Amino acid sequence: MCDKSKKRVMICKELVSFCECLLIDLEYRVTPAKELIDSALLNKNLRHIKFISSENIIEKKRLNSILSETDNDEISNFIYSLGKTDLNSQKRLISNFKDYINNSMNEYSAKHKRDSKLYVSFGLFFGIVFSLIWS
């Protein structure tokens, strides 16, 4: 369980990096959306978000990741809406999505910290109980 929340935080961090790649490209090159996503996903630091593809721009597909259903829907809506508006609106869309993912990452991070403390406490408690029974 703790490992799953840690992976969720990693995916959120990579989604934020993905958004930053998109914003940088839109600022300087204005690559078409499909090519932009494909080139951004080639980044070796974005290995946990392979559930995203440029085909999500053409057809709105339900994404399967370990993130919450709401987060998956937001990612799907975000990818589908890329390239469908003017440049400034796309930048706002990416920035808003980045803020949304940062909030989700903070929630997952807090859950990870809470759960990891709980698991350490359980381990310590059962270790003490086990040592008292056997002594």
Side-chain angles (χ1 to χ4, degrees), residues 13-97:
K13 285 181 182 179
E14 289 185 14
L15 284 169
V16 169
S17 296
F18 175 69
C19 288
E20 290 170 355
C21 290
L22 297 178
L23 284 172
I24 289 170
D25 188 278
L26 288 176
E27 193 67 39
Y28 297 108
R29 294 193 310 208
V30 192
T31 307
K34 187 173 181 173
E35 294 174 30
L36 179 61
I37 290 176
D38 286 337
S39 65
L41 290 175
L42 290 176
N43 186 337
K44 62 182 176 183
N45 294 328
L46 303 179
R47 63 182 181 268
H48 293 100
I49 59 171
K50 297 300 180 193
F51 56 88
I52 296 175
S53 76
S54 59
E55 294 176 10
N56 296 101
I57 291 176
I58 301 165
E59 183 181 342
K60 192 172 184 179
K61 296 180 180 178
R62 178 126 171 82
L63 297 176
N64 282 332
S65 73
I66 61 172
L67 299 179
S68 71
E69 188 175 324
T70 306
D71 289 343
N72 284 332
D73 290 341
E74 284 297 321
I75 296 167
S76 179
N77 291 334
F78 167 68
I79 298 297
Y80 183 70
S81 59
L82 280 177
K84 298 200 173 42
T85 59
D86 65 297
L87 185 63
N88 289 329
S89 296
Q90 285 187 63
K91 288 180 184 178
R92 278 194 306 275
L93 174 73
I94 295 168
S95 294
N96 290 341
F97 179 73

